[in-house]
């Protein structure tokens, strides 16, 4: 059977990078939301309403991206665990 340690290492690295990216994106989105809320308190009129609506659509898309990325990361966790179990069960590889 092929040595799956390379695949396992690659999946772990990809998962770590994905989780780090999602964490940074989530933090930055929170910061932008706070800045937008501060702007809301002073920005009025038609332009303000148009900006609010546009921002809401953009923020919603970021939230969906974060949610779907989290689902992907969770799926990777499961696949990595399966591969680690298979490697240990095989006896000649360590997870």
């Amino acid at each position: 059977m092929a040595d799956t340690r390379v695949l396992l290492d690659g999946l772990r690295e990809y998962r770590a990078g994905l989780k780090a990216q999602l964490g940074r994106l989530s933090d930055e989105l929170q910061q932008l939301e706070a800045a937008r809320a501060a702007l809301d308190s002073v920005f009025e009129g038609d332009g303000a309403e148009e900006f609010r609506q546009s921002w809401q659509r953009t923020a919603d898309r970021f939230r969906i991206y974060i949610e779907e990325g989290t689902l992907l990361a969770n799926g990777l966790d499961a696949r990595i665990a399966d591969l680690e179990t298979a490697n240990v069960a095989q006896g000649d590889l360590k997870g």
Side-chain angles (χ1 to χ4, degrees), residues 76-93:
L76 285 170
D77 288 340
R79 294 301 138 309
I80 288 168
D82 291 344
L83 191 52
E84 288 170 341
T85 300
N87 284 349
V88 171
Q90 188 176 350
D92 61 344
L93 300 176

Side-chain angles (χ1 to χ4, degrees), residues 9-86:
D9 289 344
L11 288 174
R12 286 176 178 151
E13 185 178 326
Y14 179 70
R15 176 190 58 188
L18 178 61
K19 287 184 175 184
Q21 179 207 27
L22 292 171
R24 285 189 306 271
L25 185 57
S26 183
D27 291 346
E28 290 175 6
L29 181 58
Q30 287 178 357
Q31 292 173 11
L32 286 171
E33 285 284 353
R36 192 221 29 96
L39 180 62
D40 258 1
S41 68
V42 296
F43 192 27
E44 298 176 354
D46 292 340
E49 186 56 34
E50 186 176 328
F51 177 77
R52 255 184 235 109
Q53 291 173 7
S54 179
W55 169 254
Q56 191 59 52
R57 286 190 303 273
T58 300
D60 289 345
R61 288 182 187 126
F62 275 115
R63 284 187 204 93
I64 290 168
Y65 179 86
I66 292 167
E67 289 170 13
E68 290 179 357
T70 300
L71 290 173
L72 176 59
N74 292 340
L76 285 170
D77 288 340
R79 294 301 138 309
I80 288 168
D82 291 344
L83 191 52
E84 288 170 341
T85 300

